[in-house]
Amino acid sequence: MIRLRIRFTDNDMKPLSFFSDGLSLSARLKLLTLLWVGSALLSVVFTLLLSWRLEGGAAAINDTGSLRMQTYRLSLLLESGAPESEIAAYIGEFDKTLHDLDTGVPSRPLFLPNDQQVRQDMQRLVRTWRQRIKPQFQAVAAGRSRFQTASIPPFIDIIDTLTRSIEKVNNRYLNRLRMFQFILLALVLVSSMIVVVLLYTWIILPLGRLQKGVNAVHDGKLGVQVPTDELAEFAEVDKGFNQMSSRLHDLYQNLEQEVADKTRDLAAKNYTLETLYAFSDLLSRSQSAVEAAEGFLDKVMDIVPADAGSIRLIDFQRRRMDLIAHRGLPDELQNAEACRRLEECSCGTAAQQSGQTVNFYKTVPSEHRVPEALCSRSGYHFLRVFKISSGGADLGLMTLYFKNESDNRTDVPLVESLCRQLGVTVSNFRLGTENRQLAVLQERNLIAQGLHDSIAQTLTFLNLQIQMLEKALEKSQRHTEPKVAEKLRFIKEGVQECYDDVRELLLNFRTKITHNEFNEAVGRLVLRFKQQTQIEAETRWLDDGPVLTSEQQLQFIFILQESLSNIRKHARARRVTVTFHNRDDFKMEIEDDGCGFDTCGLNDFAENGHVGLNIMSERARRIRAVLEIASEAGVGTKISLTLPKEERTLE
């Protein structure tokens, strides 16, 4: 029974960002309380300050009103002729009130608002009193002048102006106080909501998550995990709960998990063994390297979700890669010249790197843009290259092509092991071919030795005897007879021709052709032809396709040898050109500028007595090649031997 791990999250409710995530719950509560108390204290201080200013401004308004009354009282006393002492007492009282108003009395409290207009009006009042009104009152009280009532109303206007300025400032203070009270009320409401949300987030939610976890464990869902809270107090509780739940889950599921792991490992090993056996069986039943590679690639693409695949054998001497199997590969990638050159292809570069498996993606080195462009144009943006090797020697590579990165899933160790199996198979095929070739060469050497010890010796003896007969006839003067001389010449030419044929046959039997010696063997054969006949001969090599198999190379050499022999015997040519076209088809063309012949009746070589041509035809059919002969009297002869693409198998 498998029990699931459940994890509860509440992403929709998170703490406010202005609190540090590292603070504990107690620290957060202390900080919240401090902010609340600090805000209340600031509100009280600000309210007291505004009230104090309003109270001082009100006292200032009262004092300015008293100055108005005192001015009227002094005017009445002066008009009634009051004693000078009484007038002086009231002037002193006026000076005191004006001084208190100007300097302020904090104990009352009494002070003018801190406003520029108020200060200007106050300075104007003080200046008018001291410079005009007070001296006038003192002079009238002393009897030096008469009282002028016209000066009193402007002075009263100055006092009223000061009063209005103070009242205006007090009204501003009062409006600020009211606005602050509204703001304070809003802050109280908002802060209350914030406190509720914070308490819900910090306390209620963590407790709710723990409760869900406890209920899950109660329902048998062992291994349930709750999110670890950011608060230290709840974090410790959450960790303890998660450890307890995990321990219970592990104790319950440990045996079941071990059994499942062992089952998966066993299934994986069985799958690997079955795959290795299937591939071993396939490779053991294959008759050639091409057949083995084709079957191998089919099975690989059954277990790997690749969109296409290819297998190429590497010829390090030619610096080429020859395609021997492919699945789903477009014609453009099959026939691209860049994909055949070892140095120009990303896959070829990978084959020369250390390591077994190489991955290529859209970004490749700039010097390998051509093959990557071809792959990308075909829709393959992800490549995986596996080496095919045996005994430490790299024989080829397998490339898997993917259109999407998500499909690039490969059991690399398994595929690498399979590629090593294919490498051993290819190596065994090559060794078998070489062993068969060695056996054939040994048998041909034995035949050559037999010819040399029998027919060749006899022909040599006959040639010597003819030479002795010719000398004897010279002494007896009988050679002067035309018929005798003619017969002797015919015998001598016939024996010499037979001797040359036997020597050519001996060289034919002793010809050794291996994978990479075809060009050298052709060169030696043409050079020997030039030395024997003194006929100008030229060899041309066009294109650079894959090499032929050993059997194909040997038959091409024999047909070339027979053709050159026929030219030597019959053509009377001055120049011979041998051209090899190594494209998809392999074609050999032998042209001479000799006397030529009538090609009518060459359809059946054996019935027309052309033994050499019949042998050439049989050799061509042996490798499933096409032999064509074109000749014109007085122009020359052209022999073409074409091996079709489908018959070009690699060893």
Side-chain angles (χ1 to χ4, degrees):
M1 180 178 180
I2 298 176
R3 300 187 177 270
L4 301 176
R5 292 179 179 265
I6 304 176
R7 189 174 185 90
F8 298 105
T9 59
D10 292 285
N11 296 325
D12 55 334
M13 298 297 295
K14 294 188 178 183
L16 299 180
S17 60
F18 50 79
F19 289 99
S20 174
D21 293 337
L23 296 179
S24 62
L25 178 60
S26 59
R28 293 186 180 190
L29 293 176
K30 292 177 181 178
L31 178 60
L32 185 62
T33 303
L34 181 62
L35 291 175
W36 181 268
V37 173
S39 300
L41 290 176
L42 289 175
S43 301
V44 171
V45 170
F46 188 72
T47 302
L48 291 176
L49 180 61
L50 287 177
S51 300
W52 185 63
R53 289 191 175 188
L54 287 172
E55 187 177 358
I61 293 173
N62 290 332
D63 282 6
T64 54
S66 69
L67 289 177
R68 186 187 301 111
M69 295 179 60
Q70 292 179 32
T71 302
Y72 283 129
R73 184 173 57 186
L74 285 171
S75 298
L76 291 175
L77 290 175
L78 291 174
E79 288 182 354
S80 64
E84 183 179 2
S85 60
E86 186 178 358
I87 298 297
Y90 280 111
I91 290 174
E93 184 180 352
F94 192 97
D95 284 334
K96 184 178 181 306
T97 302
L98 189 62
H99 178 267
D100 292 343
L101 187 62
D102 186 30
T103 59
V105 182
S107 60
R108 290 182 52 181
L110 170 66
F111 54 85
L112 292 174
N114 188 17
D115 184 78
Q116 184 177 1
Q117 185 63 43
V118 173
R119 289 297 176 187
Q120 291 179 356
D121 293 341
M122 185 64 193
Q123 293 174 3
R124 179 184 176 191
L125 176 61
V126 172
R127 186 171 58 251
T128 303
W129 166 255
R130 292 176 179 176
Q131 296 179 2
R132 292 173 50 195
I133 305 301
K134 182 179 178 180
Q136 181 182 354
F137 284 175
Q138 290 176 346
V140 173
R144 294 191 300 273
S145 65
R146 296 180 62 185
F147 179 68
Q148 302 290 334
T149 58
S151 61
I152 300 302
F155 185 67
I156 296 299
D157 291 337
I158 294 175
I159 295 175
D160 293 339
T161 300
L162 176 61
T163 303
R164 287 192 296 272
S165 297
I166 296 173
E167 290 177 347
K168 187 176 181 180
V169 175
N170 272 11
N171 288 332
R172 289 205 303 266
Y173 286 158
L174 184 61
N175 292 332
R176 291 178 182 178
L177 180 61
R178 292 174 180 172
M179 183 171 37
F180 180 74
Q181 288 174 345
F182 282 114
I183 294 174
L184 185 61
L185 179 61
L187 288 177
V188 170
L189 295 176
V190 172
S191 61
S192 299
M193 294 177 63
I194 292 175
V195 169
V196 171
V197 172
L198 291 177
L199 292 178
Y200 179 78
T201 305
W202 292 344
I203 298 175
I204 297 178
L205 277 181
L207 291 176
R209 288 193 291 265
L210 282 173
Q211 182 64 38
K212 290 181 181 179
V214 171
N215 293 336
V217 174
H218 180 268
D219 295 336
K221 299 177 181 178
L222 303 179
V224 62
Q225 299 288 292
V226 298
T228 302
D229 199 89
E230 60 183 10
L231 300 173
E233 294 82 354
F234 284 106
E236 292 296 327
V237 177
D238 294 338
K239 290 179 180 178
F241 177 84
N242 291 337
Q243 291 176 358
M244 178 195 68
S245 181
S246 298
R247 184 69 180 272
L248 290 174
H249 178 269
D250 293 339
L251 291 174
Y252 184 84
Q253 196 171 356
N254 188 38
L255 288 178
E256 185 175 355
Q257 186 64 39
E258 288 184 1
V259 172
D261 293 341
K262 294 295 184 182
T263 303
R264 284 194 299 268
D265 292 341
L266 184 61
K269 292 179 180 178
N270 287 337
Y271 172 76
T272 301
L273 290 175
E274 291 175 357
T275 304
L276 291 173
Y277 175 79
F279 276 81
S280 298
D281 181 65
L282 169 69
L283 296 176
S284 64
R285 290 185 287 104
S286 301
Q287 300 299 317
S288 65
V290 174
E291 182 182 349
E294 291 177 347
F296 180 88
L297 188 58
D298 287 337
K299 283 189 171 294
V300 167
M301 295 191 65
D302 288 338
I303 64 175
V304 178
D307 298 294
S310 66
I311 295 179
R312 300 177 185 270
L313 296 185
I314 302 174
D315 189 341
F316 288 100
Q317 184 175 356
R318 297 166 49 241
R319 313 301 295 176
R320 304 275 293 187
M321 299 183 297
D322 300 317
L323 183 67
I324 65 170
H326 62 88
R327 290 294 180 271
L329 200 65
D331 293 340
E332 185 179 18
L333 294 180
Q334 297 180 35
N335 303 320
E337 181 65 22
C339 296
R340 300 176 180 178
R341 298 174 182 172
L342 190 61
E343 307 296 340
E344 298 184 13
C345 180
S346 299
C347 300
T349 304
Q352 303 178 75
Q353 296 178 355
S354 59
Q356 187 70 20
T357 306
V358 181
N359 293 321
F360 289 98
Y361 300 99
K362 281 189 173 181
T363 304
V364 297
S366 57
E367 61 266 22
H368 305 303
R369 290 294 182 190
V370 173
E372 178 64 18
L374 292 176
C375 294
S376 298
R377 191 160 57 243
S378 302
Y380 307 117
H381 306 298
F382 304 90
L383 283 70
R384 179 159 285 181
V385 182
F386 296 87
K387 290 185 180 181
I388 299 174
S389 59
S390 176
D394 295 333
L395 305 177
L397 53 91
M398 180 181 69
T399 305
L400 300 179
Y401 304 82
F402 303 87
K403 294 183 178 180
N404 301 309
E405 186 176 8
S406 59
D407 297 333
N408 188 12
R409 305 182 302 274
T410 306
D411 189 351
V412 174
L414 177 59
V415 179
E416 288 178 347
S417 178
L418 296 176
C419 288
R420 286 192 293 269
Q421 279 191 340
L422 178 60
V424 172
T425 301
V426 173
S427 179
N428 289 337
F429 277 123
R430 290 183 174 180
L431 291 175
T433 301
E434 293 177 358
N435 289 334
R436 290 192 299 271
Q437 184 181 1
L438 180 60
V440 171
L441 290 175
Q442 291 175 348
E443 186 65 25
R444 291 172 64 86
N445 282 330
L446 292 175
I447 295 174
Q449 292 175 6
L451 290 174
H452 180 270
D453 295 337
S454 59
I455 298 177
Q457 298 294 336
T458 302
L459 291 175
T460 302
F461 175 75
L462 290 175
N463 193 20
L464 292 175
Q465 293 297 320
I466 292 172
Q467 293 177 8
M468 294 174 62
L469 177 62
E470 185 179 18
K471 291 179 180 180
L473 290 175
E474 288 179 357
K475 292 180 180 180
S476 63
Q477 300 298 318
R478 295 182 61 184
H479 69 284
T480 57
E481 298 181 10
K483 291 184 179 181
V484 175
E486 184 180 1
K487 296 292 183 181
L488 184 61
R489 180 173 58 82
F490 287 159
I491 295 172
K492 185 177 179 180
E493 291 177 356
V495 172
Q496 185 62 42
E497 185 176 348
C498 291
Y499 181 75
D500 293 337
D501 290 341
V502 171
R503 285 186 56 85
E504 186 174 344
L505 186 61
L506 290 175
L507 292 173
N508 189 344
F509 278 132
R510 294 181 181 276
T511 299
K512 297 181 181 181
I513 306 295
T514 61
H515 262 293
N516 298 316
E517 294 179 355
F518 181 69
N519 294 16
E520 298 177 4
V522 170
R524 291 194 300 267
L525 187 60
V526 174
L527 179 61
R528 186 167 66 246
F529 172 80
K530 290 172 60 177
Q531 294 173 349
Q532 291 176 351
T533 62
Q534 303 301 314
I535 298 175
E536 184 66 28
E538 179 185 5
T539 305
R540 299 176 181 174
W541 298 92
L542 303 180
D543 305 308
D544 191 16
V547 297
L548 303 176
T549 65
S550 300
E551 177 64 20
Q552 292 168 348
Q553 291 178 356
L554 191 62
Q555 299 306 325
F556 267 82
I557 285 292
F558 289 159
I559 293 173
L560 174 61
Q561 193 173 38
E562 180 65 25
S563 299
L564 294 178
S565 177
N566 291 334
I567 293 173
R568 174 175 59 82
K569 295 177 182 178
H570 311 295
R572 298 191 299 275
R574 295 183 302 275
R575 181 175 180 84
V576 178
T577 303
V578 182
T579 307
F580 292 90
H581 303 270
N582 191 3
R583 299 188 179 94
D584 293 335
D585 298 337
F586 190 93
K587 187 175 184 180
M588 178 178 68
E589 294 179 342
I590 307 167
E591 298 181 77
D592 66 76
D593 58 355
C595 60
F597 60 94
D598 186 8
T599 58
C600 296
L602 290 181
N603 295 328
D604 193 342
F605 298 121
E607 293 181 0
N608 288 277
H610 302 284
V611 179
L613 296 179
N614 185 50
I615 294 175
M616 291 168 60
S617 179
E618 290 181 355
R619 292 187 181 280
R621 288 195 298 268
R622 188 177 301 171
I623 58 175
R624 291 178 291 277
V626 179
L627 179 66
E628 297 177 341
I629 301 175
S631 183
E632 185 177 352
V635 177
T637 303
K638 179 178 180 181
I639 298 176
S640 300
L641 181 64
T642 304
L643 182 67
K645 175 184 178 181
E646 54 271 14
E647 302 296 340
R648 300 192 64 183
T649 59
L650 299 176
E651 297 177 343

